[in-house]
Amino acid sequence: MAKTNFHIVMFPWLAIGHMTPFLHLSNKLAERGHRISFLLPNKAIQQLQHFNHYPNLITFHSLTIPHVDGLPIGTETASDIPLSLNDLLSIAFDRTRPQFEETVNTTRPDFVFYDSAHWIPEVTKQLGIKTINYNVVCAASIAIALVPARNVVKGRLMSEAELAELPVGYPSSNIVLHGKEWNALTFISFPFGENITFYDRITTAIKGCDAIAIRTCSEIEGNMCDYIGNQYGKPVFLTGPVLPEPAEEKLDEKWEDCLSGFEQGSVLFCAFGSQYILEKDQFQELVLGFELSGLPFLIALKPPMGVSTIEQALPEGFEERVKGRGVVWGGWVQQPLILAHKSVGCFVNHCGFGSMWESLMSNCQIVLIPHLGDQILNTRIMAGELKVAVEVEREENGWFTKESVCQAIKSVMDKDSEVGALVKKNHEKWSEKLVTPGLMSGYIDKFVENMKELVR
């Protein structure tokens, strides 16, 4: 008789932007009766335990992250370090293999879900455990950079011209990078662990799995998903965006009081995710752009490079000039609740995959300032294909100015703007489509059916 309820081990990369969507998927699977063992560091358990809606079915297992020379003492997640140290963190991550092996040998799950731990199939195949490589980034970023058809030069960094050569059969001429943006993909040739590059790590991880899963939907990225499946010769299961249920918690009183004093839909909210840190000059151009807009704003960013606090980085006289109208905050905020506040009318963000979906499902106008390669591709989907957002223009050197930030904001917020009217209309169309009753739950139901077929 076919098994109806599975035991699943979750083993994501050590970044909050990976662990969080793995947990959101865990909640959806637990809702359907499946049992989850989730391996993650202590620090991440503290941060994410309030997102565990089924503690009777989702069990957190503490992962001890070994120290690697060059990492700050106590490093457990990518949020603890700059991007440049991810190579060392991946070495530490791989050294947790004995802990993973002990868990699967003891619990003998039906499935293991993973992303960058390329060695997992070596362990699971001997035990007859099925593996699903779960990708929480857009399908386009895999299709353009991490497929066998991508001609990766071994032993050196790739040039802009080499990176700009699209993989054979890549299915879009719009969702691409331009000019110097291609350099955002040089990281695929970087070391990402001991004696392995990022490209080899991810492609090895995908080649070894039983099925590929992607956190997207066919309505937006169907052609990319088909291409990836053909490239790897693997079934591709889609989960949909797997958005969390609306939070039952209330917005902190500090922000409720701050936002409620402004007109409906007038406040600009800006956030760039948990890991990216701006250079000080770009940080100042950003906040000055908000000041120039003349609109009320809340900016939640990490302090820029070279300073320890937000206050040290603000332009001279800035706080006094925007007093009563604008706040720049260096700590964590309740992003979904802020986006849902009636006073917030525009979301300025980096277009990380989580923020991309939160943008689409919100009622806010959307302005995008991508930094990394996958964020640029997400932006091409949002601003280029779906036409639901505006991208901030950059100079030849890749930097944005206060004027370009202000111009993008005004283009979506000015009442008489044709651009603003167009993106608002398209945004309403897409968000209406994505909240169609049964669409998102249908993706999870189909995903579970795919899992059942895999073990038959």
Side-chain angles (χ1 to χ4, degrees):
M1 186 175 169
K3 198 165 186 178
T4 54
N5 290 331
F6 297 120
H7 176 211
I8 302 158
V9 166
M10 297 281 179
F11 195 72
W13 165 239
L14 302 173
I16 295 298
H18 287 241
M19 291 183 274
T20 303
F22 266 72
L23 182 53
H24 292 332
L25 179 59
S26 296
N27 280 323
K28 298 297 185 186
L29 295 172
E31 184 184 357
R32 288 157 175 81
H34 303 288
R35 188 161 55 92
I36 316 291
S37 296
F38 203 119
L39 279 70
L40 71 174
N42 275 322
K43 196 177 290 183
I45 291 175
Q46 301 308 313
Q47 286 180 269
L48 297 178
Q49 59 188 356
H50 65 289
F51 290 127
N52 180 357
H53 301 317
Y54 298 89
N56 59 320
L57 287 170
I58 302 173
T59 306
F60 288 143
H61 294 259
S62 178
L63 202 57
T64 301
I65 308 302
H67 178 68
V68 171
D69 286 345
L71 285 178
I73 299 294
T75 296
E76 290 191 341
T77 72
S79 300
D80 298 329
I81 55 172
L83 286 168
S84 58
L85 293 182
N86 271 347
D87 170 34
L88 298 179
L89 184 61
S90 62
I91 294 173
F93 183 52
D94 290 341
R95 291 179 185 174
T96 65
R97 178 170 174 167
Q99 297 173 63
F100 170 81
E101 290 180 344
E102 183 181 351
T103 299
V104 294
N105 273 303
T106 304
T107 62
R108 294 300 174 105
D110 303 293
F111 286 93
V112 172
F113 285 37
Y114 69 105
D115 46 13
S116 71
H118 60 292
W119 39 265
I120 276 181
E122 296 173 11
V123 179
T124 53
K125 276 185 170 53
Q126 300 172 25
L127 301 172
I129 299 167
K130 295 292 184 183
T131 53
I132 293 182
N133 184 263
Y134 184 41
N135 296 275
V136 300
V137 296
C138 69
S141 65
I142 302 165
I144 205 167
L146 299 168
V147 291
R150 162 58 72 183
N151 187 22
V152 174
V153 181
K154 300 284 186 184
R156 66 172 173 81
L157 295 183
M158 295 174 68
S159 69
E160 183 184 312
E162 288 166 336
L163 289 165
E165 193 174 320
L166 290 170
V168 174
Y170 180 74
S172 176
S173 57
N174 292 326
I175 306 172
V176 295
L177 307 179
H178 303 299
K180 294 189 183 303
E181 289 176 347
W182 286 105
N183 291 323
L185 294 186
T186 53
F187 75 91
I188 67 174
S189 299
F190 289 176
F192 212 80
E194 291 177 291
N195 303 313
I196 192 166
T197 63
F198 185 84
Y199 175 84
D200 286 336
R201 169 182 282 271
I202 302 302
T203 53
T204 302
I206 298 175
K207 286 174 183 174
C209 71
D210 292 296
I212 301 165
I214 308 177
R215 180 194 174 198
T216 192
C217 57
S218 58
E219 288 83 356
I220 292 176
E221 291 198 289
N223 58 344
M224 296 291 177
C225 298
D226 292 342
Y227 177 67
I228 293 165
N230 290 333
Q231 279 285 299
Y232 282 99
K234 304 271 183 188
V236 175
F237 305 158
L238 305 186
T239 64
V242 198
L243 300 169
E245 297 301 319
E248 292 181 10
E249 62 180 328
K250 288 185 176 179
L251 183 60
D252 285 352
E253 192 175 335
K254 172 189 177 75
W255 302 123
E256 179 62 46
D257 292 346
C258 170
L259 296 171
S260 294
F262 298 105
E263 288 181 24
Q264 184 169 337
S266 66
V267 178
L268 313 172
F269 171 57
C270 175
F272 285 168
S274 62
Q275 198 175 4
Y276 193 80
I277 298 173
L278 288 169
E279 293 186 35
K280 186 178 176 181
D281 288 350
Q282 285 289 267
F283 173 86
Q284 293 194 338
E285 289 292 314
L286 180 77
V287 300
L288 289 170
F290 277 74
E291 181 188 356
L292 269 180
S293 75
L295 293 167
F297 60 84
L298 168 58
I299 299 173
L301 295 178
K302 285 190 166 187
M305 295 178 191
V307 299
S308 55
T309 69
I310 285 290
E311 290 72 27
Q312 292 173 312
L314 292 173
E316 190 174 346
F318 177 83
E319 285 183 280
E320 193 59 38
R321 294 194 303 272
V322 301
K323 194 171 183 179
R325 172 166 77 88
V327 175
V328 185
W329 179 254
W332 178 83
V333 295
Q334 300 155 292
Q335 182 165 300
L337 294 179
I338 289 173
L339 286 176
H341 196 282
K342 67 180 187 304
S343 295
V344 175
C346 180
F347 184 24
V348 181
N349 68 87
H350 64 315
C351 211
F353 209 39
S355 292
M356 168 180 151
W357 287 107
E358 286 183 354
S359 300
L360 267 176
M361 305 299 279
S362 77
N363 293 319
C364 299
Q365 294 283 59
I366 307 166
V367 171
L368 303 173
I369 311 179
H371 306 291
L372 307 177
D374 63 317
Q375 297 164 6
I376 298 170
L377 292 168
N378 296 340
T379 298
R380 297 291 184 266
I381 294 171
M382 295 281 280
E385 291 271 296
L386 307 184
K387 294 181 172 53
V388 297
V390 167
E391 180 178 358
V392 171
E393 291 185 8
R394 294 177 187 260
E395 306 285 293
E396 270 295 307
N397 62 5
W399 283 34
F400 53 82
T401 65
K402 58 183 180 291
E403 290 83 8
S404 62
V405 171
C406 177
Q407 182 182 355
I409 289 169
K410 282 184 166 293
S411 75
V412 298
M413 293 297 282
D414 283 358
K415 288 184 173 59
D416 299 327
S417 167
E418 289 183 14
V419 171
L422 175 66
V423 295
K424 185 178 179 67
K425 181 182 175 184
N426 290 333
H427 186 183
E428 286 172 350
K429 180 186 78 175
W430 274 102
S431 58
E432 191 176 305
K433 182 180 287 191
L434 293 171
V435 298
T436 301
L439 180 68
M440 294 306 166
S441 61
Y443 268 104
I444 301 296
D445 291 338
K446 173 65 174 168
F447 182 74
V448 172
E449 285 303 312
N450 291 149
M451 291 173 65
K452 289 176 180 176
E453 289 168 12
L454 208 56
V455 296
R456 277 183 190 143

